Amino acid sequence: MTRTEGPEPGYHPPTFVLYEAVFGEGGVRRWLRGWNGLVTAPATDVTLAARTERGAALVTSARFSKATEARATAALLLSAFRVFAPSTPVVEILRIADDDTRWEAATLIVDGRPSPAETAVVGGVTLMCCVDRSAGVHVAVAATGAVGVRRLIEGRNDAYPADPFVAHAYADLPPVDDIVD
């Protein structure tokens, strides 16, 4: 098969703001955990991972149209923390997002300022989602330990083995670490 002209299949940076986890301690290891979208087009969501000695977080940035989409994304991040058996049907995990009794109003620190959010705790993992259109914040978070988020600034992201602002062919992407041991 001959490749035609066009972008190389792989990761293509999104056209929206990316957020990363902020911990109250140093020694943070960061990596591009995953993304969704067509393999030759900008990502439709991007998940960045971060881990310290005391905590770990996955932060998915996207353009969520409503909070329930962010809730669903946060719930799906739980699989990386091994909260459920691998055979757990996705529909069971998504029920967490739909169950209003699990979620409560909260505040997520975004760029050092409080933003309205929703939170739930499942299996020792804190889920948070913030869809604050007035501030342009669209994030879903799953974390162990206290965490906030901040905008990732292009040019100040050398902590990532694969720069999330640059397109990468699949063969050029480094292996992805597990968020938990």
Side-chain angles (χ1 to χ4, degrees):
M1 175 180 225
T2 304
R3 201 170 101 61
T4 60
E5 287 300 313
E8 181 80 21
Y11 171 77
H12 294 274
T15 57
F16 49 81
V17 175
L18 293 175
Y19 289 88
E20 66 180 355
V22 178
F23 296 91
E25 61 185 285
V28 180
R29 191 167 45 104
R30 299 180 183 281
W31 65 97
L32 173 64
R33 174 71 164 75
W35 71 93
N36 285 305
L38 298 174
V39 297
T40 57
T44 56
D45 68 59
V46 176
T47 301
L48 299 176
R51 194 168 162 191
T52 69
E53 286 187 24
R54 293 189 203 141
L58 295 173
V59 178
T60 299
S61 304
R63 283 195 182 115
F64 300 116
S65 61
K66 49 190 170 182
T68 54
E69 291 175 5
R71 278 186 184 184
T73 299
L76 291 171
L77 293 173
L78 286 168
S79 63
F81 289 90
R82 300 184 189 137
V83 171
F84 304 107
S87 60
T88 303
V90 171
V91 69
E92 293 298 320
I93 297 170
L94 290 174
R95 283 192 179 121
I96 293 166
D98 289 334
D99 185 355
D100 290 336
T101 64
R102 284 187 174 266
W103 294 86
E104 60 185 47
T107 300
L108 177 63
I109 302 302
V110 179
D111 293 329
R113 293 182 302 277
S115 285
E118 291 184 288
T119 189
V121 177
V122 180
V125 177
T126 300
L127 304 178
M128 294 194 85
C129 59
C130 177
V131 179
D132 184 354
R133 286 179 189 77
S134 65
V137 179
H138 297 254
V139 295
V141 179
T144 58
V147 67
V149 299
R150 68 180 171 209
R151 289 173 198 260
L152 186 61
I153 306 297
E154 192 167 2
R156 287 194 281 164
N157 46 322
D158 58 350
Y160 292 88
D163 184 339
F165 291 105
V166 175
H168 300 279
Y170 283 120
D172 298 336
L173 287 165
V176 173
D177 290 337
D178 283 337
I179 196 73
V180 295
D181 291 324

